Structures are given as C-alpha cells and as structure tokens.
Amino acid sequence: MGDTAVKKRIFSGIQPSGELTLGSYMGAIRNWNALQSEYDCVYCIVDLHAITVRQDPAQLRRRCLTQLAQYLACGLDPEKCILFVQSHVPEHAELSWILGCHTQFGELSRMTQFKQKSQQHADNITAGLFTYPVLMAADILLYQADAVPVGADQKQHVELCRDIAQRFNGVYGDVFTLPEPLIPKVGARIMSLNNPANKMSKSDPEGCVNLLDKPEDIRRKFKRAVTDSETSVRYDPEAKPGVSNLLSIYSAASGKSVAEAEAEFSGQGYGVFKNAVGEAVVELFRPIREESERLLSDKAYLEGIYRQGAERARAVAIRTLRKVHRKVGFLSR
Ligand code: TRP
C-alpha cells in the first residue's frame, strides 16, 4: 500500500451470519483477491449488520474469527489490504447516526431487501433492519471508497449510499466520494444445486456448498445436483438452468471456458459431468480449508491481524468522521 494516494479505494464486506459458500467465493472473495494489487482495498467482516436479525452470540463470535481465517486462506493479504471487524471501529455506528438524520423514511421503506427480510423475520422487524442500508452507507463513505464490489442484490443499497452522499455534499460542500457499484458478470450468481431457480443460499443446506465442507460432503451435493431430463451438457440458462449453473461452477473452478467445458463433456452422461464438477470444487477448496484450519489453531495470530486491521481502518475513518462533525456543526472535542 505504498502509493495509496494514487490508487482508487475499494470497500466491501460480508456478514458473519453463516458459513462462507461457493456463492460468496465465486461472487465476492475471488474478485476481492484480484482487486487487491490494483486498488487500495478495505475488506470488512460486518458483524453490526449481522445482528439486524437475531444471532446466537457464541456462534457469531466463532463465525467472525472463522471468516477472517477464510479471508486469509483465500489469499487476501493483510500487507496489501485492510482486513477488519466492523464493530472494532466505532466510527461506523457514529457516522451511521448522522447519515440516518439525512435519510428519508420513504427511501428506506422502498428497499427491496428490507421488504424481503421483514417478511422472513415478521416477528422481529427491528429499527436496525430498517436502517441497515444507512449503516452500509457509513461503511462505504467513511473510507471515501471509489468502488464497491457487491452482488446484484446490493446494487440498490449502493445507489442509496450515493444519494445520501450527494445530498450531504449538496448541503455541506464536498465531504464524501461518490462510490460506484462494481458488479461481477461471471460467476456472480451461483444458483442452488437443489433448485437452480434460486440463488445458492445457506437456508437450503443440501443445495449449498460451504468453503469448509469436507470433500465427501461436496461430492455428495454435486452427485445429487438437479439437472434436467435431457442428456447434453450445454450452456443454456433459460432452458437448462441446472446444467448451466454446473458449467459456470466448473468453468470458474477449473479456469477453463464454458465452451471448453461443453466440449470436454460432450457425449458424456450427467453422472460423469456432475462428478467432475464436484471434484473440481473439492480441489479448489482443499487448500483453502486446510489453510483455514491451520490459521484457526493460531488464535493469537488472527487476533494480531484483526487488531492491526482495526487500527489502520480507524486512522482513515476518524479523519472522515472529524470532517463530518465539523461540517454539521458539532463543537470540536
Ligand atoms: N449488505 C451487504 C450484503 O449483505 C454487506 C455489506 C455491509 C456491505 N456493508 C457493506 C457490502 C459495504 C459492501 C459495502 O451483502
């Protein structure tokens, strides 16, 4: 990070609300990895966001640490980027309050994810769930991020973040950089192995492959993957969603193009094809799982990484928050 002044800044985060999946790997972390040498990257474990729905405290703590180990095992390099836990940098919650006072109730009411999640958690629709996008805006704006790699489902939140930033700048003068969403095209949407009409999700464990799954579990899930009643391995997401999803996964895991993969399996049955995809994922995840396990046995090392990460993140965050305090008219501390 020697020449940070000229590099553009990236911010992104994943909630520690479950295991990291093949979907989070292909759609996010793999991409984060590729960005870290070209950009000044800040990657976060967003535990404040995770508690917008009820979490088991012991599990949340364990998942935060596991997620950090997995970030590292996937190749995120603490020398090249900042890796930290959101709750360790109190400026996120502070800026979130101020931004919340510049956000309309109506804007938050229109957020698709809020509408979905408030249906899923109808017995616990908290104010935090409602203001979730404001906290996300604070995450991004604190670091003056130029670009935010996210899945398509988060595009609306990044757009709201831009609107809030623009409004704020309009009132107080230039304070925040306006961020662009960075949405990956390939492998962005990995579908459930069980039900290829749905996005791969931890709520459907048999259709979902986790980064830390044992090889036999990965093999079983691919063996049972839903395909179709034809026999040809051909990429056609409309007519053949299951096979196309498997082809995307195989292509991403093996580094071969989809066309090469189609050629490789032409004339072979789905059984052979599904086993090959499973095997490619087993091999892709093997070093990641082994390295995560090794790191998790060295808690002191992981603590050192997240402490140093929080310190570096805070240095940036404090600068932005001070400026914001001055602009809105708070008496200097
Ligand atoms: N809301 C994002 C998700 O669920 C996670 C997130 C929180 C995030 N803060 C962020 C992503 C800031 C990008 C930037 O996927």
Side-chain angles (χ1 to χ4, degrees):
M1 303 226 314
D3 49 351
T4 48
V6 296
K7 283 186 181 173
K8 292 209 169 206
R9 181 165 286 148
I10 295 263
F11 185 96
S12 197
I14 299 180
Q15 297 188 47
S17 54
E19 306 293 325
L20 289 179
T21 67
L22 180 63
S24 29
Y25 180 77
M26 300 285 187
I29 301 178
R30 194 173 53 128
N31 194 29
W32 291 7
N33 232 338
L35 295 166
Q36 57 179 348
S37 44
E38 220 181 304
Y39 295 87
D40 175 9
C41 297
V42 183
Y43 296 132
C44 188
I45 296 173
V46 290
D47 55 349
L48 299 176
H49 278 103
I51 63 161
T52 52
V53 301
R54 187 90 82 232
Q55 303 292 331
D56 174 75
Q59 209 168 40
L60 180 61
R61 203 174 345 263
R62 190 175 43 77
R63 278 181 174 151
C64 273
L65 203 63
T66 308
Q67 191 161 314
L68 178 67
Q70 287 173 289
Y71 279 3
L72 297 167
C74 287
L76 297 181
D77 179 350
E79 300 288 318
K80 288 193 193 149
C81 53
I82 297 179
L83 303 174
F84 76 107
V85 179
Q86 190 184 28
S87 63
H88 294 178
V89 179
E91 286 72 18
H92 289 246
E94 272 192 69
L95 181 61
S96 181
W97 174 259
I98 297 170
L99 296 180
C101 297
H102 296 79
T103 306
Q104 298 301 309
F105 181 87
E107 290 179 300
L108 294 176
S109 312
R110 284 193 289 277
M111 293 293 114
T112 332
Q113 191 178 72
F114 172 69
K115 292 186 209 164
Q116 282 168 354
K117 287 207 179 175
S118 49
Q119 274 172 6
Q120 285 165 9
H121 304 275
D123 56 339
N124 187 31
I125 306 175
T126 64
L129 192 63
F130 188 64
T131 57
Y132 176 117
V134 179
L135 178 60
M136 180 163 161
D139 295 343
I140 298 166
L141 299 179
L142 266 183
Y143 300 92
Q144 307 287 3
D146 299 284
V148 183
V150 281
D153 63 322
Q154 295 297 313
K155 188 163 177 254
Q156 196 184 32
H157 290 162
V158 180
E159 278 162 2
L160 176 66
C161 171
R162 279 179 71 93
D163 291 345
I164 298 172
Q166 215 152 14
R167 183 174 310 141
F168 200 95
N169 288 350
V171 177
Y172 303 102
D174 273 352
V175 179
F176 296 125
T177 304
L178 298 188
E180 300 283 347
L182 211 67
I183 297 165
K185 286 174 214 74
V186 212
R189 244 172 104 78
I190 298 293
M191 312 308 281
S192 161
L193 301 182
N194 262 346
N195 182 355
N198 295 343
K199 194 174 147 178
M200 182 176 279
S201 147
K202 52 200 179 269
S203 57
D204 168 18
E206 275 304 296
C208 179
V209 178
N210 297 322
L211 222 53
L212 299 183
D213 275 352
K214 294 191 193 70
E216 61 264 33
D217 294 324
I218 299 178
R219 292 192 184 101
R220 183 191 66 250
K221 290 176 188 178
F222 278 98
K223 212 182 276 291
R224 295 188 191 154
V226 168
T227 49
D228 52 53
S229 56
E230 299 180 5
T231 51
S232 66
V233 177
R234 186 164 49 79
Y235 188 80
D236 182 349
E238 291 289 310
K240 299 167 73 67
V243 169
S244 303
N245 187 40
L246 291 171
L247 274 168
S248 305
I249 295 171
Y250 183 74
S251 160
S254 66
K256 296 173 190 168
S257 70
V258 168
E260 282 169 332
E262 282 177 334
E264 185 176 342
F265 297 105
S266 87
Q268 309 214 39
Y270 284 167
V272 173
F273 171 54
K274 290 199 284 187
N275 284 340
V277 184
E279 223 37 62
V281 173
V282 165
E283 289 316 315
L284 177 71
F285 284 177
R286 186 190 303 283
I288 297 174
R289 179 173 44 83
E290 287 172 356
E291 179 65 1
S292 301
E293 282 164 4
R294 191 186 70 76
L295 289 166
L296 280 167
S297 66
D298 190 352
K299 299 269 189 308
Y301 174 74
L302 292 173
E303 278 168 24
I305 297 290
Y306 70 63
R307 289 220 177 95
Q308 184 219 35
E311 217 168 282
R312 291 166 63 203
R314 254 197 120 174
V316 182
I318 283 175
R319 237 180 293 145
T320 306
L321 191 67
R322 276 214 192 105
K323 190 167 179 190
V324 169
H325 278 188
R326 211 172 339 109
K327 293 283 186 177
V328 299
F330 291 167
L331 192 59
S332 163
R333 289 179 201 182

